[in-house]
Amino acid sequence: MSTPALFHPESDPVTVVGGPDYVIYSCLQWQDPNLRLMAQAAKQTFCVMHGDYLDHRFITALERAYLRGALAPVKLIAIHEQGLDIFLDSKVSSSTIPAIEAIWEIDTHLYSGRHYTVAFASEDEIYSERSDYPFWPVVKEVMASNALGLSPYVLASLDEDGFDENLCAALRALERTHLRVWGELDMKLGIAEHSQSGASLPNHEPVPASCFEHPNCSEKI
């Protein structure tokens, strides 16, 4: 399984005997469960539950959905065959559901050849044991043993020993996007030779080889 660009694995993948396997991820989140913009970013922890194999393309597509704001209300996503079971934070109000459904309607065609149907449920249905999801006992155990949802994001110290790998991953993802945009611009303007020679682009500073170098960062472009 490849390493996601925007999600940080909280632990190794977990294998469940007789049930779906799962992975716990975290990411930065700027919206609350009702899609309202927060004054300060928080840490969001969520679970991806899957069958025998978790396709890396699904995680890439999920990151695209995340950038559209689709993950803010989500605590757990279960992927099976052609369907997604999405369990929402209990704080999600009924008035927010149409907006959440509208976002996910765009993102159900996650990648070529795969279109998913989506079923939403509240985590309350799991805790009250009223869920019709066949693996709800596994979901309940995952939710009870992991602090899923939003929590304060504690910034690491600025010295080298306290460098934050999660923040580093986010910066690297931004850098990759930055360099890709410059590459596309070069192609459109027909001035790729400038970037190859290291010369300055017209009216712009040269793009450095790495914008976010840090000796403790394991992320590489």
Side-chain angles (χ1 to χ4, degrees):
M1 185 172 62
S2 59
T3 302
L6 301 178
F7 301 153
H8 175 72
E10 290 291 296
S11 62
D12 293 332
V14 178
T15 300
V16 178
V17 177
D21 301 336
Y22 65 90
V23 185
I24 304 294
Y25 290 109
S26 66
C27 60
L28 290 176
Q29 184 55 256
W30 285 265
Q31 293 177 297
D32 70 12
N34 286 295
L35 306 180
R36 294 184 296 253
L37 188 65
M38 296 186 292
Q40 181 173 326
K43 176 182 178 180
Q44 180 180 9
T45 305
F46 63 97
C47 176
V48 175
M49 190 168 284
H50 59 92
D52 294 335
Y53 173 69
L54 180 58
D55 194 326
H56 71 276
R57 293 176 299 173
F58 175 77
I59 295 300
T60 300
L62 199 60
E63 289 181 312
R64 189 166 65 243
Y66 159 68
L67 292 175
R68 292 180 56 82
L71 286 187
V74 174
K75 283 202 171 181
L76 185 145
I77 300 176
I79 171 175
H80 298 287
E81 298 297 333
Q82 300 294 322
L84 298 178
D85 287 275
I86 300 179
F87 295 91
L88 304 176
D89 194 303
S90 61
K91 298 183 180 68
V92 173
S93 66
S94 58
S95 60
T96 308
I97 296 297
I100 296 172
E101 291 176 339
I103 296 174
W104 278 99
E105 183 177 359
I106 296 173
D107 289 301
T108 52
H109 193 78
L110 294 176
Y111 52 82
S112 178
R114 298 297 298 271
H115 185 86
Y116 293 91
T117 58
V118 179
F120 294 99
S122 172
E123 64 176 324
D124 289 338
E125 295 180 35
I126 295 295
Y127 286 117
S128 63
E129 302 184 0
R130 292 183 289 107
S131 175
D132 57 3
Y133 179 61
F135 299 107
W136 68 262
V138 180
V139 175
K140 184 178 181 180
E141 174 62 26
V142 171
M143 289 183 169
S145 58
N146 295 274
L148 304 182
L150 298 180
S151 60
Y153 190 89
V154 180
L155 291 174
S157 169
L158 292 178
D159 60 22
E160 292 184 5
D161 292 336
F163 192 73
D164 190 290
E165 282 287 340
N166 198 25
L167 184 58
C168 177
L171 292 175
R172 286 293 184 181
L174 290 174
E175 180 180 18
R176 283 190 289 267
T177 302
H178 175 76
L179 295 179
R180 184 177 67 251
V181 170
W182 273 111
E184 293 172 356
L185 182 61
D186 283 348
M187 293 294 291
K188 291 179 181 179
L189 298 180
I191 54 172
E193 65 275 8
H194 286 279
S195 59
Q196 293 171 359
S197 64
S200 300
L201 298 176
N203 302 321
H204 293 282
E205 293 294 326
V207 179
S210 181
C211 300
F212 305 110
E213 289 293 342
H214 192 284
N216 285 356
C217 183
S218 61
E219 287 287 319
K220 303 297 180 185
I221 298 176

